[in-house]
Amino acid sequence: MASEYSKLSSELGEGFNPRTAKRIGELSKVMNALKEWEGANSSLSELNTLLHDPTSDSEIRSLASEDIALITEQLYVLSQRLASSLIPIHPFAHLPCLLEIRPGAGGGEAALFAGDLLRMYQAYCSRKGFRAKLLKYEDTEGGFDCGGSQVSLQEAILEVDTPSAYGELRCEAGVHRVQRVPATESKGRTHTSSAVVLVLPSLPDISVGDELGEDAWDDPQSDYYIDPKDVRTDIMRARGAGGQHVNTTDSAVRLTYLPTNTVVSIQDSRSQPKNREKAWRLLHSKIAQARREAREDEMVKLRRSVVGVAKMGRGDKIRTYSWGQQRVTDHRSGLTVHDLSDVVEGGVSLEKVMESVRAWLGERDMEGLVADEASALSIGVKK
């Protein structure tokens, strides 16, 4: 990394290149952490020399002993910082994202809980200053009005159009479980139901023309690439509970990616071209995420024997919301907070839970790096 940083710095001095500048920015965090660690380690070595030097007087040795204790503490913190800086940045972390929310097991109560999660993420985005808008919304009656607090959600897609939103919110993907007494329960029994949250990286508009814009869409080596011949387009009339354009115009667009049978459908706008554009953006995001997850799954299979940690899939319950105990427990990081109201309102308690999961993900990534290094060394020894 040090040699790569030095080489790229020299290249940037000869002429500006956006990709080179971006890579230098990524390496700077590691290089700064390494420089601080090397400085502290050098100071510790000098102090140990003074401490064991027979020509040093007792006062100098006493001062050196005190400084060694301080430097040792600093070195531990700097080691943690260096290790953290070595964790590879997720390739989609800098992108905006799409949050898909659907009810899971539990019938009507699951649909109500899915609506609660949508409002939770909307409140969180509002508090954090993230730009968020509904890209798609359907309740169980087929309506498109997201008003009300007791709406039974069928499906919602929330677009968080803020840079790095994916890196912030990808920890929310998975099955969220709720334990509470439904409003229709006459005997006061607690029911368990769930909702599924899927987090996808959101592509920038094609007109942006940057490395993840039109070039990425047309590059066969890109995760975002889709051969148009592999996509079936269906145009149909919008369906739903109401609205002047419903059942009167052929504005709804459904795209099917045939190799994986991935389907997206958009009918929010009266304009067919706008619905088509939204559908293509969503399809590119879904396919890119699926390809990324396939690679991650392969890596997990290779690491599992060494690390002993398997990647949590969508079927795993990642978090439990217990209304009776006013408790939220994340089953990955192990963190429990007893402020459920603040969590579902998108408050500081939710951010605390999310930070614990991001730290957990970082630890898993570091274990993966160690496993990869050990595997590479083992292969080298065998050769």
Side-chain angles (χ1 to χ4, degrees):
M1 282 188 175
S3 60
E4 181 186 3
Y5 182 82
S6 178
K7 180 182 177 182
L8 292 176
S9 297
S10 299
E11 291 178 1
L12 196 61
E14 297 173 359
F16 181 77
N17 181 288
R19 291 182 181 272
T20 302
K22 181 182 177 182
R23 180 57 179 162
I24 287 177
E26 293 172 352
L27 292 174
S28 293
K29 183 180 178 181
V30 180
M31 296 311 299
N32 291 336
L34 178 61
K35 186 177 180 180
E36 291 180 351
W37 182 87
E38 287 178 338
N41 198 47
S42 176
S43 297
L44 183 62
S45 179
E46 292 175 1
L47 289 169
N48 277 316
T49 300
L50 280 176
L51 185 63
H52 296 95
D53 188 352
T55 62
S56 299
D57 58 40
S58 59
E59 184 178 354
I60 291 179
R61 284 198 295 271
S62 176
L63 290 173
S65 180
E66 293 176 2
D67 289 342
I68 284 174
L70 293 174
I71 293 294
T72 300
E73 291 181 6
Q74 293 178 12
L75 198 59
Y76 174 77
V77 173
L78 292 173
S79 296
Q80 296 293 105
R81 188 180 302 170
L82 178 59
S84 176
S85 70
L86 289 170
I87 297 173
I89 299 173
H90 195 286
F92 299 154
H94 64 290
L95 292 175
C97 72
L98 303 173
L99 284 172
E100 289 192 21
I101 305 170
R102 296 188 184 92
E109 176 63 17
L112 287 171
F113 179 52
D116 292 338
L117 290 181
L118 172 61
R119 288 184 290 276
M120 178 181 80
Y121 291 125
Q122 287 176 314
Y124 178 81
C125 290
S126 177
R127 187 178 66 82
K128 296 280 288 185
F130 293 169
R131 297 185 299 272
K133 64 179 180 180
L134 279 172
L135 192 64
K136 181 176 183 179
Y137 182 94
E138 284 187 39
D139 60 36
T140 53
E141 302 298 323
F144 307 100
D145 180 11
C146 59
S149 59
Q150 291 297 316
V151 174
S152 298
L153 180 66
Q154 183 65 34
E155 180 183 10
I157 301 177
L158 183 68
E159 181 177 34
V160 186
D161 189 22
T162 298
S164 301
Y166 182 77
E168 179 98 1
L169 294 168
R170 73 184 183 100
C171 60
E172 294 301 288
V175 177
H176 296 241
R177 180 175 64 180
V178 62
Q179 295 173 332
R180 63 184 178 187
V181 179
T184 56
E185 172 56 59
S186 59
K187 297 183 179 180
R189 291 174 296 189
T190 299
H191 289 221
T192 298
S193 55
S194 64
V196 179
V197 177
L198 178 61
V199 185
L200 300 166
S202 178
L203 288 169
D205 292 334
I206 300 178
S207 58
V208 173
D210 61 9
E211 63 176 319
L212 289 179
E214 188 173 11
D215 292 342
W217 285 30
D218 296 334
D219 181 5
Q221 302 301 318
S222 168
D223 283 336
Y224 300 106
Y225 176 76
I226 295 176
D227 190 337
K229 296 193 298 294
D230 292 333
V231 179
R232 185 181 70 238
T233 303
D234 297 309
I235 306 299
M236 64 202 78
R237 292 192 173 184
R239 59 180 177 81
Q244 293 181 359
H245 73 295
V246 173
N247 295 322
T248 62
T249 60
D250 292 332
S251 59
V253 176
R254 182 174 64 205
L255 301 178
T256 304
Y257 183 61
L258 300 175
T260 58
N261 200 35
T262 302
V263 179
V264 299
S265 59
I266 295 293
Q267 61 178 34
D268 294 356
S269 173
R270 299 186 182 188
S271 167
Q272 184 191 119
K274 288 184 178 179
N275 284 336
R276 184 190 297 270
E277 180 185 355
K278 286 183 179 180
W280 270 104
R281 287 181 61 200
L282 182 57
L283 183 62
H284 277 284
S285 295
K286 281 180 172 287
I287 298 304
Q289 180 72 352
R291 289 168 177 166
R292 167 69 183 180
E293 288 182 350
R295 290 199 302 272
E296 288 183 344
D297 286 340
E298 288 300 317
M299 290 303 296
V300 168
K301 290 177 182 177
L302 292 173
R303 294 171 178 167
R304 187 175 298 168
S305 60
V306 180
V307 180
V309 177
K311 178 176 180 284
M312 279 194 169
R314 294 188 187 135
D316 296 298
K317 296 174 179 64
I318 64 167
R319 191 176 298 157
T320 295
Y321 304 72
S322 175
W323 250 252
Q325 301 176 10
Q326 283 293 294
R327 169 182 61 83
V328 176
T329 298
D330 194 280
H331 304 296
R332 296 161 296 178
S333 66
L335 179 68
T336 293
V337 296
H338 291 88
D339 196 354
L340 183 142
S341 297
D342 188 56
V343 170
V344 297
E345 290 172 4
V348 176
S349 295
L350 174 60
E351 187 166 4
K352 182 179 178 181
V353 174
M354 292 168 63
E355 285 177 352
S356 74
V357 179
R358 286 193 287 268
W360 180 87
L361 289 171
E363 291 172 0
R364 302 291 80 74
D365 288 341
M366 179 54 66
E367 289 178 350
L369 282 175
V370 173
D372 289 344
E373 187 68 22
S375 178
L377 289 173
S378 176
I379 293 173
V381 170
K382 290 180 180 178
K383 288 182 177 179

